[in-house]
Amino acid sequence: IQVREAGGTSWWTPERTRAATLFKIGERVRLSIESPRAGYLYVIDREQYADGTLGEPLVIFPTLQARGGNNRVSAGVLIEIPDQSDRIPYFKMTRGRDDQVGEILTVLVTPQPIEGIPLTHERPRLSPEQLAEWESIWGAQVELFEMEGGAGATWTKAEQQAGAIAGRSLTQEEPVPQTIYRVRVKPGNPLLITVPLRYGHETTH
């Protein structure tokens, strides 16, 4: 991925990580999401603190900074957040407070757009009560599966193309997802999963 920073342009090659990976402060992170159904994708982030409490929910996708605000997804089509063409094609792991131990991502795929979430360049805030209501209504049993030996593998050309070219899907002969979430949900209900990102004690420079 081409990254333009103050010191010039550099190239970075993404690597796969397991769901249980401990991230270093300063590391760059990208999300690759493949939905089993068509709908509208939302990703909500909350800081997690050492005492178990959570910060304010922020909608990190969709915003006008990522894919022009387009959050429509199709079954089997890879969505990258941020997109390869975005000005800053990664999230940087940072601590908002000294006692922060990670981030909690809530990933939603809904049949219809959610009303009341403004589409701006900023990250809209949600009320904790609103998110808690969604989790109560749409939360379901989830099983997690990891691909053995996949962690640390570098991005393939097929994955790069699938994320960059509209309508380009990965085939059965190409790399399978590193982490698969199987959600037991009633037909027509939104899909909702929770993805924790944990911090280690080290820092990148």
Side-chain angles (χ1 to χ4, degrees), residues 4-150:
R4 297 179 180 87
E5 297 179 306
T9 299
S10 57
W11 292 86
W12 293 77
T13 301
E15 295 181 355
R16 289 177 172 231
T17 63
R18 295 174 57 87
T21 294
L22 292 179
F23 292 97
K24 299 176 183 178
I25 300 300
E27 280 192 305
R28 296 165 170 84
V29 174
R30 305 182 73 244
L31 306 175
S32 295
I33 299 175
E34 185 179 343
S35 171
R37 64 166 68 163
Y40 295 84
L41 175 65
Y42 297 87
V43 182
I44 300 156
D45 178 43
R46 288 171 290 177
E47 295 181 352
Q48 184 178 36
Y49 307 113
D51 62 0
T53 58
L54 299 173
E56 186 176 29
L58 298 177
V59 180
I60 63 173
F61 185 84
T63 71
L64 291 176
Q65 293 189 25
R67 304 180 77 238
N70 179 16
N71 69 329
R72 185 80 169 89
V73 296
S74 299
V77 175
L78 198 65
I79 301 295
E80 295 184 333
I81 306 173
D83 192 73
Q84 296 176 39
S85 61
D86 289 341
R87 186 177 65 84
I88 302 177
Y90 57 82
F91 297 112
K92 200 165 188 178
M93 306 300 276
T94 59
R95 278 194 174 101
R97 289 179 9 186
D98 290 342
D99 62 339
Q100 185 179 347
V101 295
E103 314 274 347
I104 299 294
L105 302 181
T106 301
V107 180
L108 267 170
V109 177
T110 60
Q112 301 296 329
I114 298 176
E115 296 183 0
I117 298 181
L119 190 58
T120 68
H121 285 89
E122 303 301 322
R123 298 175 179 180
R125 289 175 166 81
L126 288 178
S127 70
E129 294 76 17
Q130 177 67 83
L131 182 54
E133 181 181 356
W134 291 345
E135 290 175 329
S136 174
I137 296 172
W138 298 331
Q141 183 179 351
V142 177
E143 294 179 88
L144 183 150
F145 302 89
E146 290 274 8
M147 185 176 77
E148 291 294 337

Side-chain angles (χ1 to χ4, degrees), residues 150-196:
T154 57
W155 209 28
T156 66
K157 191 68 175 179
E159 290 171 312
Q160 181 189 37
Q161 291 174 347
I165 301 172
R168 163 72 159 90
S169 299
L170 293 171
T171 67
Q172 291 184 343
E173 289 73 32
E174 291 167 339
V176 300
Q178 173 59 39
T179 307
I180 295 176
Y181 295 87
R182 178 188 290 170
V183 186
R184 299 183 183 277
V185 63
K186 295 180 180 179
N189 277 8
L191 299 174
L192 185 151
I193 64 169
T194 299
V195 181

